[in-house]
Coordinates of all heavy atoms in Angstrom, one line a residue:
M1 N 0.8 -1.2 0.0 CA 0.0 0.0 0.0 C 0.9 1.3 0.0 O 0.5 2.2 -0.6 CB -0.9 0.0 1.2 CG -2.0 1.0 1.2 SD -3.1 0.7 -0.2 CE -4.5 1.6 0.3
N2 N 2.0 1.2 0.7 CA 2.9 2.4 0.7 C 3.4 2.7 -0.7 O 3.6 3.9 -1.0 CB 4.0 2.2 1.7 CG 3.6 2.3 3.1 OD1 2.5 2.9 3.4 ND2 4.3 1.7 4.0
R3 N 3.7 1.7 -1.5 CA 4.2 2.0 -2.8 C 3.2 2.7 -3.7 O 3.5 3.5 -4.4 CB 4.7 0.7 -3.5 CG 5.9 0.1 -2.9 CD 6.4 -1.1 -3.7 NE 7.6 -1.6 -3.1 CZ 8.1 -2.8 -3.4 NH1 7.6 -3.5 -4.4 NH2 9.2 -3.2 -2.8
F4 N 1.9 2.2 -3.5 CA 0.8 2.8 -4.2 C 0.7 4.3 -3.8 O 0.5 5.2 -4.7 CB -0.5 2.1 -4.0 CG -1.6 2.7 -4.8 CD1 -1.7 2.6 -6.1 CD2 -2.6 3.5 -4.1 CE1 -2.8 3.2 -6.8 CE2 -3.6 4.1 -4.7 CZ -3.7 3.9 -6.1
S5 N 0.8 4.6 -2.5 CA 0.7 6.0 -2.1 C 1.8 6.8 -2.6 O 1.6 8.0 -3.0 CB 0.7 6.0 -0.5 OG -0.4 5.3 0.0
L6 N 3.0 6.3 -2.6 CA 4.1 7.1 -3.1 C 4.0 7.3 -4.6 O 4.2 8.4 -5.1 CB 5.4 6.3 -2.8 CG 6.7 7.0 -3.3 CD1 6.9 8.3 -2.6 CD2 7.9 6.1 -3.0
F7 N 3.5 6.3 -5.3 CA 3.3 6.4 -6.7 C 2.2 7.5 -7.0 O 2.4 8.3 -7.9 CB 2.8 5.1 -7.3 CG 2.6 5.1 -8.8 CD1 3.6 5.2 -9.7 CD2 1.3 5.1 -9.3 CE1 3.4 5.3 -11.1 CE2 1.0 5.1 -10.6 CZ 2.1 5.2 -11.5
S8 N 1.2 7.5 -6.2 CA 0.1 8.5 -6.4 C 0.6 9.9 -6.2 O 0.3 10.8 -6.9 CB -1.0 8.2 -5.4 OG -1.6 7.0 -5.7
I9 N 1.5 10.1 -5.2 CA 2.1 11.4 -4.9 C 2.9 11.8 -6.0 O 2.9 13.0 -6.4 CB 2.8 11.3 -3.5 CG1 1.8 11.2 -2.4 CG2 3.7 12.6 -3.4 CD1 2.5 10.9 -1.1
V10 N 3.7 10.9 -6.6 CA 4.6 11.3 -7.7 C 3.8 11.7 -8.9 O 4.1 12.7 -9.6 CB 5.6 10.1 -8.0 CG1 6.3 10.4 -9.3 CG2 6.6 9.9 -6.9
I11 N 2.8 11.0 -9.2 CA 1.9 11.3 -10.3 C 1.2 12.6 -10.1 O 1.1 13.4 -11.0 CB 0.8 10.2 -10.6 CG1 1.5 8.9 -11.0 CG2 -0.2 10.6 -11.6 CD1 2.3 9.0 -12.3
A12 N 0.7 12.9 -8.9 CA 0.0 14.1 -8.6 C 1.0 15.3 -8.8 O 0.6 16.3 -9.3 CB -0.6 14.1 -7.2
A13 N 2.2 15.1 -8.3 CA 3.2 16.2 -8.5 C 3.5 16.4 -9.9 O 3.7 17.6 -10.3 CB 4.5 15.8 -7.7
A14 N 3.6 15.4 -10.7 CA 3.9 15.6 -12.1 C 2.8 16.3 -12.8 O 3.0 17.1 -13.7 CB 4.2 14.2 -12.8
L15 N 1.6 16.0 -12.5 CA 0.4 16.6 -13.1 C 0.3 18.1 -12.7 O -0.2 18.9 -13.5 CB -0.9 15.8 -12.8 CG -1.0 14.4 -13.4 CD1 -2.2 13.8 -12.9 CD2 -0.9 14.5 -14.9
A16 N 0.8 18.4 -11.6 CA 0.6 19.8 -11.1 C 1.8 20.6 -11.5 O 1.8 21.8 -11.3 CB 0.5 19.8 -9.6
S17 N 2.8 20.1 -12.2 CA 4.0 20.8 -12.6 C 3.7 21.8 -13.7 O 2.7 21.7 -14.5 CB 5.0 19.8 -13.1 OG 4.7 19.3 -14.3
P18 N 4.5 22.9 -13.8 CA 4.3 23.9 -14.8 C 4.4 23.3 -16.2 O 3.7 23.8 -17.1 CB 5.4 24.9 -14.5 CG 5.7 24.7 -13.1 CD 5.5 23.3 -12.8
A19 N 5.2 22.3 -16.4 CA 5.3 21.7 -17.7 C 4.0 21.1 -18.2 O 3.6 21.2 -19.3 CB 6.4 20.6 -17.7
F20 N 3.3 20.5 -17.3 CA 2.0 19.9 -17.6 C 1.0 21.1 -17.9 O 0.3 21.0 -18.9 CB 1.4 19.1 -16.5 CG 0.1 18.5 -16.7 CD1 -0.1 17.5 -17.6 CD2 -1.0 19.0 -16.1 CE1 -1.3 16.9 -17.9 CE2 -2.3 18.5 -16.4 CZ -2.4 17.5 -17.2
A21 N 1.1 22.1 -17.2 CA 0.2 23.3 -17.4 C 0.5 23.9 -18.8 O -0.4 24.3 -19.5 CB 0.3 24.3 -16.3
E22 N 1.8 23.9 -19.1 CA 2.2 24.5 -20.4 C 1.6 23.6 -21.5 O 1.1 24.1 -22.6 CB 3.7 24.6 -20.5 CG 4.1 25.3 -21.8 CD 5.6 25.6 -21.8 OE1 6.3 25.5 -20.8 OE2 6.1 25.9 -22.9
D23 N 1.7 22.3 -21.3 CA 1.1 21.4 -22.4 C -0.4 21.6 -22.5 O -0.8 21.6 -23.7 CB 1.4 20.0 -22.0 CG 2.9 19.6 -22.2 OD1 3.6 20.3 -22.8 OD2 3.3 18.5 -21.6
I24 N -1.1 21.8 -21.4 CA -2.5 22.0 -21.5 C -2.8 23.3 -22.2 O -3.7 23.4 -23.1 CB -3.1 22.0 -20.1 CG1 -3.1 20.6 -19.4 CG2 -4.6 22.6 -20.1 CD1 -3.9 19.6 -20.2
C25 N -2.0 24.3 -21.9 CA -2.2 25.6 -22.6 C -2.0 25.5 -24.1 O -2.9 25.9 -24.9 CB -1.2 26.6 -22.0 SG -1.1 28.2 -22.8
T26 N -0.9 24.9 -24.5 CA -0.6 24.7 -25.9 C -1.6 23.8 -26.6 O -2.1 24.1 -27.7 CB 0.8 24.1 -26.0 OG1 1.8 25.0 -25.4 CG2 1.2 24.0 -27.5
V27 N -1.9 22.7 -26.0 CA -2.9 21.7 -26.6 C -4.2 22.4 -26.7 O -4.9 22.3 -27.8 CB -3.0 20.5 -25.7 CG1 -4.2 19.6 -26.1 CG2 -1.7 19.7 -25.8
N28 N -4.7 23.1 -25.7 CA -6.0 23.7 -25.8 C -6.0 24.9 -26.8 O -7.1 25.0 -27.5 CB -6.5 24.2 -24.4 CG -6.9 23.1 -23.5 OD1 -7.1 21.9 -24.0 ND2 -7.1 23.4 -22.3
L29 N -5.0 25.6 -26.9 CA -4.9 26.7 -28.0 C -5.0 26.0 -29.4 O -5.7 26.5 -30.3 CB -3.7 27.5 -27.8 CG -3.7 28.6 -26.8 CD1 -2.3 29.2 -26.6 CD2 -4.7 29.6 -27.1
Q30 N -4.3 24.9 -29.5 CA -4.4 24.2 -30.8 C -5.8 23.7 -31.0 O -6.4 23.7 -32.2 CB -3.4 23.0 -30.8 CG -3.4 22.3 -32.2 CD -3.0 23.2 -33.3 OE1 -2.0 23.9 -33.2 NE2 -3.7 23.2 -34.4
K31 N -6.5 23.2 -30.0 CA -7.9 22.7 -30.1 C -8.8 23.9 -30.6 O -9.7 23.7 -31.4 CB -8.4 22.1 -28.8 CG -7.9 20.8 -28.5 CD -8.5 20.3 -27.2 CE -7.9 19.0 -26.7 NZ -8.5 18.5 -25.4
L32 N -8.6 25.0 -30.0 CA -9.4 26.2 -30.4 C -9.1 26.6 -31.8 O -10.0 26.9 -32.6 CB -9.0 27.4 -29.5 CG -9.6 27.3 -28.1 CD1 -9.0 28.4 -27.2 CD2 -11.1 27.4 -28.1
A33 N -7.9 26.5 -32.3 CA -7.5 26.8 -33.7 C -8.2 25.7 -34.6 O -8.7 26.1 -35.6 CB -6.0 26.8 -33.9
D34 N -8.2 24.5 -34.2 CA -8.8 23.4 -35.0 C -10.3 23.5 -35.1 O -10.9 23.1 -36.0 CB -8.4 22.0 -34.4 CG -6.9 21.7 -34.5 OD1 -6.2 22.4 -35.3 OD2 -6.5 20.8 -33.8
N35 N -10.9 24.1 -34.1 CA -12.3 24.3 -34.0 C -12.8 25.7 -34.4 O -13.9 26.1 -34.0 CB -12.9 23.9 -32.6 CG -12.8 22.5 -32.3 OD1 -13.2 21.6 -33.1 ND2 -12.2 22.1 -31.2
S36 N -12.0 26.3 -35.2 CA -12.4 27.7 -35.6 C -13.7 27.7 -36.4 O -14.5 28.7 -36.4 CB -11.3 28.4 -36.4 OG -11.0 27.6 -37.6
A37 N -14.0 26.6 -37.1 CA -15.3 26.5 -37.9 C -16.5 26.5 -36.9 O -17.5 27.1 -37.2 CB -15.3 25.3 -38.8
A38 N -16.3 25.9 -35.8 CA -17.4 25.8 -34.8 C -17.7 27.2 -34.2 O -18.8 27.5 -33.9 CB -17.1 24.8 -33.7
L39 N -16.6 28.0 -34.2 CA -16.8 29.4 -33.7 C -17.7 30.2 -34.5 O -18.5 31.0 -34.0 CB -15.4 30.1 -33.6 CG -15.3 31.4 -32.9 CD1 -15.9 31.4 -31.5 CD2 -13.9 31.9 -33.0
T40 N -17.7 30.0 -35.8 CA -18.6 30.8 -36.7 C -20.1 30.4 -36.5 O -20.9 31.2 -36.9 CB -18.2 30.5 -38.2 OG1 -18.4 29.1 -38.5 CG2 -16.8 30.9 -38.4
T41 N -20.4 29.3 -35.9 CA -21.8 28.9 -35.8 C -22.3 29.3 -34.4 O -23.5 29.2 -34.2 CB -21.9 27.4 -35.9 OG1 -21.2 26.7 -34.9 CG2 -21.4 26.9 -37.3
L42 N -21.5 29.9 -33.5 CA -22.0 30.3 -32.2 C -22.8 31.6 -32.3 O -22.5 32.4 -33.2 CB -20.8 30.5 -31.3 CG -20.1 29.3 -30.7 CD1 -18.9 29.8 -29.8 CD2 -21.0 28.5 -29.9
A43 N -23.7 31.7 -31.4 CA -24.5 32.9 -31.3 C -23.5 34.0 -30.8 O -22.5 33.8 -30.2 CB -25.6 32.7 -30.3
S44 N -23.9 35.2 -31.0 CA -23.1 36.4 -30.7 C -22.5 36.5 -29.3 O -21.3 36.6 -29.2 CB -23.9 37.7 -31.0 OG -23.0 38.8 -30.9
P45 N -23.2 36.4 -28.2 CA -22.6 36.5 -26.9 C -21.5 35.4 -26.7 O -20.4 35.7 -26.2 CB -23.7 36.4 -25.9 CG -25.0 36.6 -26.7 CD -24.7 36.2 -28.1
A46 N -21.8 34.2 -27.0 CA -20.9 33.1 -26.7 C -19.6 33.3 -27.6 O -18.5 33.0 -27.2 CB -21.5 31.8 -27.0
K47 N -19.9 33.7 -28.9 CA -18.7 33.9 -29.8 C -17.7 34.9 -29.3 O -16.5 34.7 -29.3 CB -19.3 34.3 -31.2 CG -18.2 34.4 -32.2 CD -18.8 34.7 -33.6 CE -17.8 34.8 -34.6 NZ -18.4 35.1 -36.0
E48 N -18.2 36.0 -28.8 CA -17.4 37.1 -28.2 C -16.6 36.6 -27.0 O -15.5 36.9 -26.8 CB -18.1 38.3 -27.9 CG -18.4 39.2 -29.1 CD -19.7 38.9 -29.8 OE1 -20.6 38.2 -29.2 OE2 -19.8 39.2 -31.0
Q49 N -17.3 35.8 -26.2 CA -16.7 35.2 -25.0 C -15.6 34.3 -25.3 O -14.5 34.3 -24.7 CB -17.7 34.5 -24.1 CG -18.7 35.5 -23.4 CD -19.8 34.7 -22.6 OE1 -19.9 33.5 -22.8 NE2 -20.5 35.5 -21.8
V50 N -15.8 33.4 -26.3 CA -14.7 32.5 -26.7 C -13.5 33.3 -27.3 O -12.4 33.0 -26.9 CB -15.2 31.5 -27.8 CG1 -14.1 30.8 -28.4 CG2 -16.3 30.6 -27.2
E51 N -13.8 34.3 -28.1 CA -12.7 35.1 -28.6 C -11.9 35.9 -27.5 O -10.7 36.0 -27.6 CB -13.3 36.1 -29.7 CG -13.7 35.4 -30.9 CD -14.5 36.3 -31.9 OE1 -14.9 37.4 -31.5 OE2 -14.6 35.9 -33.1
E52 N -12.7 36.4 -26.5 CA -12.0 37.1 -25.4 C -11.1 36.1 -24.6 O -10.0 36.4 -24.2 CB -13.0 37.7 -24.5 CG -13.7 38.9 -25.1 CD -14.9 39.4 -24.3 OE1 -15.0 39.0 -23.1 OE2 -15.7 40.2 -24.8
H53 N -11.6 34.9 -24.3 CA -10.9 33.9 -23.6 C -9.6 33.5 -24.4 O -8.5 33.3 -23.8 CB -11.7 32.7 -23.2 CG -12.6 32.9 -22.1 ND1 -12.2 33.2 -20.8 CD2 -14.0 32.9 -22.0 CE1 -13.2 33.4 -20.0 NE2 -14.3 33.2 -20.7
K54 N -9.8 33.3 -25.7 CA -8.7 32.9 -26.5 C -7.6 34.0 -26.5 O -6.4 33.7 -26.4 CB -9.1 32.6 -28.0 CG -8.0 32.1 -28.9 CD -8.5 31.8 -30.3 CE -7.3 31.4 -31.1 NZ -7.7 31.3 -32.5
K55 N -8.0 35.2 -26.7 CA -7.1 36.3 -26.7 C -6.3 36.4 -25.3 O -5.1 36.6 -25.3 CB -7.8 37.7 -27.0 CG -6.9 38.9 -27.0 CD -7.6 40.1 -27.4 CE -6.7 41.3 -27.3 NZ -7.4 42.6 -27.6
A56 N -7.1 36.3 -24.2 CA -6.5 36.4 -22.9 C -5.5 35.2 -22.7 O -4.5 35.4 -22.1 CB -7.6 36.3 -21.8
A57 N -5.9 34.0 -23.2 CA -5.0 32.9 -23.1 C -3.7 33.1 -23.9 O -2.6 32.8 -23.3 CB -5.7 31.6 -23.6
E58 N -3.8 33.6 -25.0 CA -2.6 33.9 -25.8 C -1.7 34.9 -25.1 O -0.5 34.8 -25.1 CB -3.0 34.3 -27.2 CG -3.6 33.2 -28.1 CD -4.2 33.7 -29.4 OE1 -4.5 34.9 -29.5 OE2 -4.5 32.9 -30.2
E59 N -2.3 35.9 -24.6 CA -1.5 37.0 -23.8 C -0.9 36.3 -22.6 O 0.3 36.6 -22.3 CB -2.4 38.1 -23.4 CG -2.9 39.0 -24.6 CD -3.9 40.0 -24.2 OE1 -4.3 40.1 -23.0 OE2 -4.4 40.8 -25.1
A60 N -1.6 35.5 -21.9 CA -1.0 34.8 -20.7 C 0.1 33.9 -21.1 O 1.1 33.9 -20.4 CB -2.1 34.0 -20.0
Q61 N 0.0 33.2 -22.2 CA 1.0 32.3 -22.7 C 2.3 33.1 -23.0 O 3.4 32.8 -22.6 CB 0.6 31.5 -23.9 CG 1.6 30.5 -24.4 CD 1.2 29.8 -25.6 OE1 0.7 30.4 -26.5 NE2 1.4 28.5 -25.7
R62 N 2.1 34.3 -23.7 CA 3.3 35.1 -24.0 C 3.9 35.6 -22.8 O 5.2 35.8 -22.7 CB 2.8 36.3 -24.9 CG 2.6 35.9 -26.4 CD 2.5 37.1 -27.3 NE 1.3 37.9 -27.0 CZ 0.1 37.6 -27.5 NH1 -0.1 36.6 -28.3 NH2 -0.9 38.4 -27.2
A63 N 3.1 35.9 -21.7 CA 3.7 36.4 -20.5 C 4.3 35.3 -19.6 O 4.8 35.6 -18.6 CB 2.6 37.1 -19.7
G64 N 4.1 34.1 -20.0 CA 4.6 32.9 -19.3 C 3.7 32.4 -18.2 O 4.1 31.6 -17.4
D65 N 2.5 32.9 -18.2 CA 1.5 32.5 -17.2 C 0.7 31.4 -17.7 O -0.4 31.5 -18.2 CB 0.6 33.7 -16.7 CG -0.3 33.4 -15.6 OD1 -0.3 32.2 -15.1 OD2 -0.9 34.3 -15.1
V66 N 1.2 30.1 -17.7 CA 0.6 29.0 -18.3 C -0.7 28.6 -17.6 O -1.6 28.0 -18.2 CB 1.5 27.8 -18.6 CG1 2.6 28.2 -19.6 CG2 2.2 27.4 -17.3
E67 N -0.7 28.8 -16.3 CA -1.9 28.4 -15.5 C -3.1 29.3 -16.0 O -4.2 28.7 -16.2 CB -1.7 28.6 -14.0 CG -0.7 27.5 -13.5 CD -0.5 27.6 -12.0 OE1 -1.4 28.2 -11.3 OE2 0.6 27.2 -11.6
T68 N -2.9 30.6 -16.1 CA -4.0 31.4 -16.6 C -4.4 31.1 -18.0 O -5.6 31.1 -18.4 CB -3.6 32.9 -16.4 OG1 -3.3 33.2 -15.1 CG2 -4.7 33.9 -17.0
C69 N -3.4 30.8 -18.8 CA -3.6 30.4 -20.2 C -4.5 29.2 -20.2 O -5.5 29.1 -21.0 CB -2.3 30.1 -20.9 SG -2.5 29.5 -22.6
G70 N -4.2 28.2 -19.4 CA -5.0 27.0 -19.4 C -6.4 27.2 -18.9 O -7.3 26.6 -19.5
A71 N -6.5 28.1 -17.9 CA -7.9 28.4 -17.4 C -8.7 29.0 -18.5 O -9.9 28.7 -18.7 CB -7.8 29.3 -16.2
H72 N -8.2 30.0 -19.2 CA -8.9 30.7 -20.3 C -9.3 29.7 -21.4 O -10.4 29.8 -22.0 CB -8.2 31.9 -20.8 CG -8.3 33.1 -19.9 ND1 -9.4 33.8 -19.8 CD2 -7.3 33.7 -19.2 CE1 -9.2 34.8 -18.9 NE2 -8.0 34.8 -18.5
T73 N -8.3 28.9 -21.8 CA -8.6 27.9 -22.9 C -9.7 26.9 -22.5 O -10.5 26.6 -23.3 CB -7.3 27.2 -23.4 OG1 -6.7 26.5 -22.3 CG2 -6.3 28.2 -24.0
E74 N -9.6 26.5 -21.3 CA -10.7 25.5 -20.8 C -12.1 26.2 -20.9 O -13.0 25.6 -21.3 CB -10.4 25.1 -19.4 CG -9.2 24.1 -19.2 CD -9.5 22.8 -19.8 OE1 -10.7 22.3 -19.8 OE2 -8.5 22.2 -20.3
K75 N -12.2 27.4 -20.5 CA -13.4 28.1 -20.5 C -13.9 28.3 -22.0 O -15.1 28.1 -22.3 CB -13.3 29.5 -19.8 CG -13.2 29.4 -18.3 CD -13.0 30.7 -17.7 CE -12.8 30.6 -16.2 NZ -12.5 31.9 -15.5
A76 N -13.0 28.7 -22.8 CA -13.3 28.8 -24.3 C -13.8 27.5 -24.9 O -14.8 27.5 -25.6 CB -12.1 29.4 -25.0
L77 N -13.1 26.4 -24.6 CA -13.5 25.2 -25.1 C -14.9 24.7 -24.6 O -15.7 24.2 -25.3 CB -12.5 24.1 -24.8 CG -11.2 24.2 -25.6 CD1 -10.1 23.3 -25.0 CD2 -11.4 23.9 -27.1
Q78 N -15.2 25.0 -23.3 CA -16.5 24.7 -22.7 C -17.6 25.5 -23.5 O -18.6 25.0 -23.7 CB -16.5 25.0 -21.2 CG -15.7 24.1 -20.4 CD -15.6 24.5 -19.0 OE1 -16.0 25.5 -18.6 NE2 -15.0 23.6 -18.1
L79 N -17.3 26.7 -23.8 CA -18.3 27.5 -24.5 C -18.5 27.0 -25.9 O -19.6 27.0 -26.4 CB -17.8 29.0 -24.6 CG -17.9 29.8 -23.3 CD1 -17.1 31.1 -23.4 CD2 -19.4 30.1 -22.9
L80 N -17.4 26.5 -26.5 CA -17.6 25.9 -27.9 C -18.4 24.7 -27.8 O -19.1 24.4 -28.8 CB -16.2 25.6 -28.5 CG -15.5 26.8 -29.2 CD1 -14.1 26.3 -29.6 CD2 -16.3 27.3 -30.3
Q81 N -18.3 23.9 -26.8 CA -19.0 22.6 -26.6 C -20.5 22.9 -26.4 O -21.3 22.0 -26.7 CB -18.4 21.8 -25.5 CG -17.1 21.2 -25.9 CD -16.4 20.5 -24.7 OE1 -16.9 20.5 -23.6 NE2 -15.4 19.8 -25.0
G82 N -20.8 24.0 -25.8 CA -22.2 24.3 -25.6 C -22.8 23.6 -24.4 O -22.0 22.9 -23.7
P83 N -24.0 23.8 -24.0 CA -24.6 23.3 -22.8 C -24.6 21.7 -22.7 O -24.3 21.2 -21.6 CB -26.1 23.7 -22.9 CG -26.2 24.7 -24.0 CD -25.0 24.6 -24.8
G84 N -24.7 21.0 -23.8 CA -24.7 19.6 -23.7 C -23.4 18.9 -24.1 O -23.4 17.8 -24.3
G85 N -22.4 19.8 -24.4 CA -21.1 19.2 -24.8 C -21.1 18.8 -26.2 O -20.3 18.0 -26.7
D86 N -22.1 19.3 -27.0 CA -22.3 18.8 -28.4 C -22.0 20.0 -29.4 O -22.5 19.9 -30.5 CB -23.7 18.3 -28.6 CG -24.8 19.3 -28.3 OD1 -24.4 20.4 -27.9 OD2 -25.9 18.9 -28.5
G87 N -21.3 21.0 -29.0 CA -21.0 22.1 -29.9 C -22.2 23.0 -29.9 O -22.2 23.9 -30.8
G88 N -23.1 22.9 -29.0 CA -24.2 23.8 -29.0 C -25.4 23.4 -29.9 O -26.4 24.1 -30.0
A89 N -25.3 22.3 -30.5 CA -26.3 21.8 -31.4 C -27.5 21.3 -30.6 O -27.3 20.6 -29.6 CB -25.8 20.7 -32.4
E90 N -28.7 21.6 -31.1 CA -29.9 21.2 -30.4 C -30.3 19.8 -31.0 O -30.2 19.6 -32.2 CB -31.0 22.2 -30.5 CG -30.8 23.4 -29.8 CD -32.0 24.4 -29.9 OE1 -33.1 23.9 -30.0 OE2 -31.8 25.6 -29.8
T91 N -30.8 18.9 -30.1 CA -31.3 17.7 -30.6 C -32.7 17.6 -30.2 O -33.2 18.0 -29.2 CB -30.5 16.5 -29.9 OG1 -30.6 16.6 -28.5 CG2 -29.1 16.5 -30.4
N92 N -33.5 16.9 -31.0 CA -35.0 16.7 -30.8 C -35.3 15.3 -30.4 O -34.8 14.4 -30.9 CB -35.8 17.1 -32.0 CG -35.7 18.6 -32.3 OD1 -35.5 19.4 -31.3 ND2 -35.8 19.0 -33.5

């Protein structure tokens, strides 16, 4: 059991490291770029919010604040996914 606990601590420390945060920032910015077509289908308020979060994320990344970058990209991706996680598409 002690080996498992130690392993869990090591994994948690690795996931909390700045390198991991930088990867999330970079990966999420790429996801936003890849989903630019979905951005055109969003209604006006959500579209502006996504663009604001993306801009703030890029500024944070340039400033070296990868945690803030990751937070903004996560929010932008959530807005792109819509309420049901389906890109905002309604189903009947």
Side-chain angles (χ1 to χ4, degrees):
M1 191 65 157
N2 286 339
R3 287 184 184 174
F4 179 73
S5 298
L6 181 59
F7 180 72
S8 298
I9 292 170
V10 170
I11 295 298
L15 292 177
S17 73
F20 179 74
E22 186 172 347
D23 287 346
I24 291 296
C25 173
T26 303
V27 167
N28 285 350
L29 282 172
Q30 185 60 49
K31 286 180 183 178
L32 288 170
D34 292 345
N35 289 311
S36 61
L39 185 60
T40 61
T41 63
L42 283 179
S44 187
K47 183 176 182 177
E48 280 89 20
Q49 288 176 346
V50 169
E51 290 171 345
E52 288 173 13
H53 283 298
K54 183 179 177 189
K55 182 179 176 183
E58 290 168 342
E59 290 173 1
Q61 185 185 40
R62 283 191 295 274
D65 188 354
V66 293
E67 290 181 25
T68 300
C69 174
H72 281 291
T73 58
E74 288 290 329
K75 289 177 185 175
L77 288 170
Q78 288 173 355
L79 287 167
L80 275 178
Q81 291 176 347
D86 59 358
E90 292 185 27
T91 56
N92 292 329

